[in-house]
Amino acid sequence: MSERPTVIAIEGLTKRFGEITAVDAVDLDLRENEFFALLGPSGCGKTTLLRMIAGFTGPDAGRILLDGRDMTPVRPNRRPVNLMFQSYALFPHMTVTQNIAYGLEMEGCGRDEIRRRVGEMLEMTELSPLKDRKPEHLSGGQRQRVALARALVKRPRVLLLDEPLGALDKKLREQMQLELKRMQHEVGITFVIVTHDQEEALVMADRIAVLKDGRVMQVGAPRELYEYPASRFVAGFIGKMNFFAGQGRGAEVAFGDGVLTGTAPGGVELAGPAVAAVRPERLRLAPQRPEGSLNAVPGRIVDIAYHGQDLNVHVEVRGAVDSAGGEAGARVLVRLPAGEAEEGDWQAGQDVWCCWAPAHTRVLAM
Amino acid sequence: MPRSLLRDWLLLGPGLTWLALFLVVPCGMLLVFAFFERGVYGGIDYIFTLENFSRAIDPLYLSIFLTSAKVAGLAAVIALLIGYPAAYAIARAPARRQTAYLVLVMLPFWSNYLIRTYAWIVLLNREGLVNKGLAGLGLVSEPLPLLYNEFAIVTGLVYNYLPFVVLAIYSSISRLNPEVLEASEDLGASAPRTFWRVTLPLTLPGVAAGAVFVFVLSIGNFITPDLLGGGRLQMVGNVIYDQFLTARDWPFGATLSFILIGIMMILLFSQAMLVRKAQGEGGIAHA
């Protein structure tokens, strides 16, 4: 993926609103034909960043290069990028066809070309039967497709999507995640999506930038972020994670009576408070302390929940920190494949050892 | 009667009674008067006739209706041209300043209509502030004829009804979803094209409401034509006034009133239809 050429280069981009720095010296490369997600909790600056790429918000410092050209002085209507608004912002007085044709009319396309390209778009988004309807007579999912078609018909260099699935119900959202991915593939245009939903980003994106307080915490493929988080924040924000807090030494964390071994990002030598992080599905349970080099911590089972394909076992471990980040004595989540663990193997109240391989352990600064 | 219906009628009762007593009944009386002959010394002789209506479509009165419509139309158009940009500016101002601006718009209503109209005489007469100002600046050698003509009437009407236009359009613009305007720009439209293709069509209900308001209030107005027109330009309001109070021809005055009310009803109805249509379409913008 790294060999794809850059479309948009963001360099030291900063935006302040009064006291708050919404976007703080962000550097990012958006590449040709990729599905890129800006992921972060609300207020992390992801929407501001998107609006700056679209041109609706000007930077206080830094710049955005599109195909090498500085976009700073270029008005939104002159940028070869299109934004799909969170509210969809369809023109309520126009039909579906008129909404989609609008952008082409503004470009000064000929009537025949407009008809052809709008027709193609209606076809691709399966909106043909609804083409003469006004937005008020469309469902949420249909409006979303009109908004998408209206932006895509312009064949932008980059399509920006601001929480595109936020207004849809869960079932439709999951269906649209795959459909958006399919469409991105079909049109070969770079999609940049803003979302606070880490699952959505994992499912759809080729690469994800995790943002917090206006800063980019980490950029990488979903798997990279999931398996090798570079910070405590990313580890906790993406997926479920168990944390064991202690004193860090190199790639080890002193925990309880023993030491938990893992890998630290970029081979950084840690000294000071740190956590050993491990995914619930990497943990196994044992009645006794296992022999060998496995990491192991003792605890007591407090709850077992059957989830069909797996069994979620909650173990109370003194000194563990839950993924929300906090108090000691929190619960550790162990996810056992249902095929591996028979019902009745484990009981609430039982004393057990949670164990896992050092290879699956990330050692991160507190 | 279902309980909710009973409650609705109880709540509507006072308002409906008021309207029935002081609007429907007098209007009904007007309609009745229009079909009778005038009494020799004023009042009504209850002898059925259609003569009042045939007299009302006499070219003399038709031309008065047309003049009134022209003046009212002109006032409505000018009020829109002045009111729209003002309403736009207010609706786009920071929220905490909008209220202050709206209060300023309504400020003239704190003084009496007659006093405000007399103030215009002070401003517009040959020795008035406007003429003195223009002469002082050396822009005119002779005082301009600003008072006692159509210009003065239109100026007075625009001045009086402008706040309503601003309020009507303001409420339309403030309900616009700003993202819809951004979407237009994002799709390649310049600011003027966004205005013509998106902003104006979506605020048309406010424009129509404002325009109809000015037109309806202007066409029947008789004080402004009387004071600022100096009685030289007859509008239908003046004629009706004269029929009732000078000529003492109540039936004919009633007839003219009724025709005027008819014109207003048609306009208000059309405007209501337009609003209903636009509201149906505006579902998303208002959501």
Side-chain angles (χ1 to χ4, degrees):
Chain A
M1 210 165 297
S2 53
E3 65 272 19
R4 285 180 184 166
T6 297
V7 182
I8 287 183
I10 295 169
E11 297 174 348
L13 204 64
T14 300
K15 181 69 193 178
R16 281 179 284 268
F17 295 113
E19 298 280 287
I20 299 150
T21 305
V23 174
D24 193 356
V26 164
D27 294 306
L28 272 180
D29 274 341
L30 307 175
R31 298 177 190 147
E32 201 82 62
N33 192 12
E34 75 172 341
F35 203 126
F36 193 92
L38 295 170
L39 173 67
S42 58
C44 72
K46 53 194 192 298
T47 294
T48 304
L49 185 53
L50 201 73
R51 288 177 60 84
M52 288 168 91
I53 300 173
F56 290 114
T57 306
D60 289 325
R63 55 184 194 159
I64 298 168
L65 301 174
L66 193 145
D67 292 327
R69 192 160 72 100
D70 187 2
M71 285 285 115
T72 311
V74 183
R75 298 281 311 152
N77 56 341
R78 302 253 173 240
R79 295 192 185 196
V81 298
N82 284 109
L83 173 59
M84 193 181 135
F85 290 83
Q86 189 174 4
S87 71
Y88 307 145
L90 300 179
F91 303 125
H93 58 305
M94 299 184 196
T95 63
V96 169
T97 304
Q98 288 166 339
N99 263 285
I100 300 174
Y102 187 84
L104 297 177
E105 284 170 34
M106 294 304 132
E107 269 176 42
C109 292
R111 193 176 295 180
D112 291 335
E113 190 189 350
I114 292 177
R115 191 173 306 140
R116 184 174 51 76
R117 283 169 66 177
V118 170
E120 283 169 15
M121 241 28 250
L122 287 169
E123 200 78 9
M124 193 179 103
T125 49
E126 291 164 17
L127 286 166
S128 302
L130 309 170
K131 65 181 165 52
D132 295 322
R133 291 215 193 155
K134 297 233 169 119
E136 57 161 336
H137 297 297
L138 299 175
S139 71
Q142 289 163 346
R143 285 176 195 173
Q144 194 253 14
R145 298 213 305 269
V146 177
L148 186 65
R150 186 178 68 172
L152 270 184
V153 77
K154 302 261 297 175
R155 295 179 188 152
R157 289 288 285 138
V158 175
L159 178 69
L160 310 168
L161 306 98
D162 188 5
E163 300 269 3
L165 309 176
L168 307 179
D169 62 54
K170 191 172 186 291
K171 204 174 147 101
L172 193 55
R173 199 156 62 222
E174 283 169 3
Q175 183 190 329
M176 284 308 299
Q177 287 172 2
L178 299 175
E179 200 166 332
L180 271 182
K181 205 171 158 65
R182 174 185 68 79
M183 276 186 212
Q184 191 274 326
H185 211 73
E186 207 172 310
V187 296
I189 289 171
T190 303
F191 277 30
V192 180
I193 183 177
V194 153
T195 180
H196 64 272
D197 182 340
Q198 46 96 13
E199 224 169 300
E200 195 168 287
L202 290 179
V203 170
M204 287 196 282
D206 298 318
R207 289 197 307 146
I208 300 170
V210 181
L211 278 83
K212 186 198 175 202
D213 301 333
R215 292 176 164 277
V216 175
M217 304 302 287
Q218 192 175 359
V219 184
R223 196 180 182 88
E224 219 174 302
L225 295 181
Y226 189 81
E227 301 284 355
Y228 308 107
S231 63
R232 164 107 199 262
F233 175 78
V234 173
F237 192 70
I238 295 189
K240 286 251 184 258
M241 185 67 96
N242 296 306
F243 293 106
F244 301 93
Q247 198 63 28
R249 272 191 315 272
E252 289 181 347
V253 175
F255 185 81
D257 302 334
V259 161
L260 302 173
T261 317
T263 52
V268 178
E269 295 292 300
L270 283 167
V275 287
V278 59
R279 297 285 176 196
E281 65 272 20
R282 300 295 187 188
L283 286 166
R284 289 297 174 267
L285 294 176
Q288 259 90 47
R289 183 179 189 123
E291 302 290 317
S293 61
L294 287 181
N295 290 325
V297 293
R300 172 173 292 159
I301 295 175
V302 287
D303 184 45
I304 301 175
Y306 177 66
H307 277 256
Q309 75 275 33
D310 50 34
L311 209 59
N312 284 353
V313 184
H314 294 270
V315 181
E316 198 171 82
V317 175
R318 190 180 295 271
V321 187
D322 66 18
S323 61
E327 74 280 21
R331 291 169 172 197
V332 168
L333 176 64
V334 182
R335 192 170 287 154
L336 302 172
E340 220 172 89
E342 292 298 322
E343 208 134 357
D345 278 2
W346 308 104
Q347 268 112 35
Q350 193 177 346
D351 287 323
V352 289
W353 285 81
C354 302
C355 40
W356 67 95
H360 296 137
T361 314
R362 258 332 232 189
V363 175
L364 303 163
M366 194 59 159
Chain B
M1 199 187 286
R3 228 182 147 151
S4 63
L5 203 60
L6 181 71
R7 191 194 57 202
D8 288 352
W9 280 105
L10 277 174
L11 291 173
L12 282 169
L16 281 179
T17 311
W18 182 275
L19 284 176
L21 281 178
F22 299 112
L23 187 75
V24 179
V25 169
C27 282
M29 283 163 68
L30 271 184
L31 183 60
V32 171
F33 287 176
F35 289 99
F36 292 113
E37 286 181 10
R38 66 179 288 198
V40 183
Y41 307 104
I44 311 285
D45 271 355
Y46 290 94
I47 303 165
F48 181 82
T49 177
L50 288 174
E51 203 218 327
N52 292 319
F53 285 91
S54 58
R55 196 174 145 207
I57 55 169
D58 180 280
L60 172 67
Y61 294 107
L62 269 186
S63 84
I64 288 173
F65 267 110
L66 283 178
T67 307
S68 309
K70 191 186 94 184
V71 168
L74 207 56
V77 169
I78 294 170
L80 284 182
L81 291 178
I82 300 172
Y84 200 106
Y88 193 90
I90 295 172
R92 287 283 167 269
R96 68 202 143 75
R97 256 191 273 157
Q98 289 187 16
T99 320
Y101 289 154
L102 290 174
V103 169
L104 286 178
V105 166
M106 299 304 294
L107 204 59
F109 289 113
W110 293 6
S111 74
N112 181 280
Y113 178 78
L114 273 176
I115 293 171
R116 282 180 285 138
T117 308
Y118 274 112
W120 276 103
I121 297 177
V122 175
L123 285 172
L124 295 179
N125 71 43
R126 283 181 67 87
E127 305 295 316
L129 279 174
V130 175
N131 267 321
K132 277 203 173 142
L134 289 173
L137 290 169
L139 291 171
V140 295
S141 49
E142 286 279 293
L144 293 176
L146 299 174
L147 195 58
Y148 304 133
N149 53 24
E150 198 178 306
F151 169 82
I153 299 175
V154 172
T155 303
L157 293 173
V158 168
Y159 163 77
N160 267 310
Y161 302 133
L162 189 60
F164 298 118
V165 173
V166 172
L167 287 184
I169 299 176
Y170 164 82
S171 84
S172 253
I173 295 175
S174 60
R175 263 181 294 170
L176 269 183
N177 174 1
E179 285 198 343
V180 170
L181 306 184
E182 285 185 344
S184 171
E185 193 181 0
D186 185 69
L187 292 165
S190 59
R193 293 190 89 178
T194 296
F195 179 77
W196 288 112
R197 293 287 307 269
V198 182
T199 314
L200 189 58
L202 289 177
T203 51
L204 224 42
V207 171
V212 167
F213 210 88
V214 177
F215 187 88
V216 163
L217 290 176
S218 295
I219 197 172
N221 193 307
F222 61 91
I223 295 174
T224 300
D226 203 45
L227 293 178
L228 298 181
R232 289 185 207 176
L233 192 89
Q234 284 269 301
M235 282 182 55
V236 65
N238 305 99
V239 178
I240 294 170
Y241 179 88
D242 287 344
Q243 292 305 319
F244 276 97
L245 294 166
T246 313
R248 314 216 76 202
D249 189 346
W250 286 21
F252 187 54
T255 308
L256 292 177
S257 295
F258 218 80
I259 294 171
L260 192 58
I261 291 172
I263 295 172
M264 292 174 181
M265 297 276 273
I266 291 168
L267 280 168
L268 287 170
F269 183 74
S270 325
Q271 184 240 332
M273 295 310 284
L274 181 72
V275 168
R276 176 186 285 191
K277 190 163 164 273
Q279 269 174 354
E281 287 166 2
I284 294 184
H286 299 178

